[in-house]
Amino acid sequence: MIKLNRILFPTDFSEQSACAAAYAFALAEKFGSQVHVLHVQEVLPGTPTFVMGMAIATKAKESEGASLKGIAAFLEQGKWDARSVVPATTEGTPFVEIVRYAKTHEIDLIVLGTHGRSGLTHVLLGSVAERVVRKAPCPVMTIRPEGHQFVMP
């Protein structure tokens, strides 16, 4: 029997994330799961530790607040049931932080959207979803925004 107590839904607040959210919340409703909504603020290599007279630690705290507000707005916009939502935010490389969060919080399933890039764009930008699938400690469901969509009866 499949038991999904905790579903991780990483979001970048994009259209692709909105499609994936529909699946994450539908599964959560079906299984009575908790949904962990994670936003990773990407920190690029070589990012300075001090910018315009402000320490990055202060900027990071402001960024965390903005991310949590973004999660709340995203949930409100999609009208998803927020009863069993655990909002979370962190900084770092998105796929690394998603996998780390899944391990730390004993996530049973990760549901994330994919941009569906191919060719040179995929080579240059990479795929967070692809890397998560390869490294995740649990099953991963990827959702493409185009194509067949399931409809709940």
Side-chain angles (χ1 to χ4, degrees):
M1 182 168 154
I2 296 175
K3 188 121 172 105
L4 301 176
N5 294 321
R6 288 172 295 281
I7 296 172
L8 174 57
F9 165 59
T11 182
D12 60 1
F13 308 126
S14 66
E15 180 184 327
Q16 291 80 8
S17 285
C19 290
Y23 282 87
F25 283 92
L27 286 167
E29 185 178 325
K30 185 82 170 158
F31 286 92
S33 310
Q34 198 176 53
V35 180
H36 292 245
V37 181
L38 174 66
H39 176 71
V40 179
Q41 184 68 39
E42 189 167 10
V43 177
L44 301 173
T47 302
T49 56
F50 197 77
V51 177
M52 297 175 60
M54 187 176 0
I56 290 297
T58 304
K59 276 185 85 69
K61 201 67 170 160
E62 291 170 5
S63 174
E64 179 181 349
S67 293
L68 290 173
K69 284 180 184 174
I71 289 171
F74 185 80
L75 291 172
E76 187 176 306
Q77 177 186 8
K79 296 182 176 72
W80 291 293
D81 184 6
R83 279 185 300 198
S84 58
V85 171
V86 177
T89 181
T90 189
E91 290 187 340
T93 304
F95 89 90
V96 171
E97 296 306 322
I98 292 166
V99 170
R100 181 177 292 144
Y101 189 94
K103 286 178 182 176
T104 303
H105 293 86
E106 297 179 351
I107 297 297
D108 300 307
L109 175 69
I110 300 172
V111 179
L112 74 159
T114 178
H115 291 273
R117 294 184 183 108
S118 60
L120 185 58
T121 308
H122 177 75
V123 171
L124 294 176
L125 297 177
S127 168
V128 171
E130 183 179 329
R131 291 176 180 154
V132 169
V133 167
R134 289 181 186 202
K135 302 288 184 179
C138 60
V140 178
M141 175 186 260
T142 59
I143 309 299
R144 292 178 61 119
E146 67 278 344
H148 178 76
Q149 297 291 314
F150 288 105
V151 178
M152 296 298 284

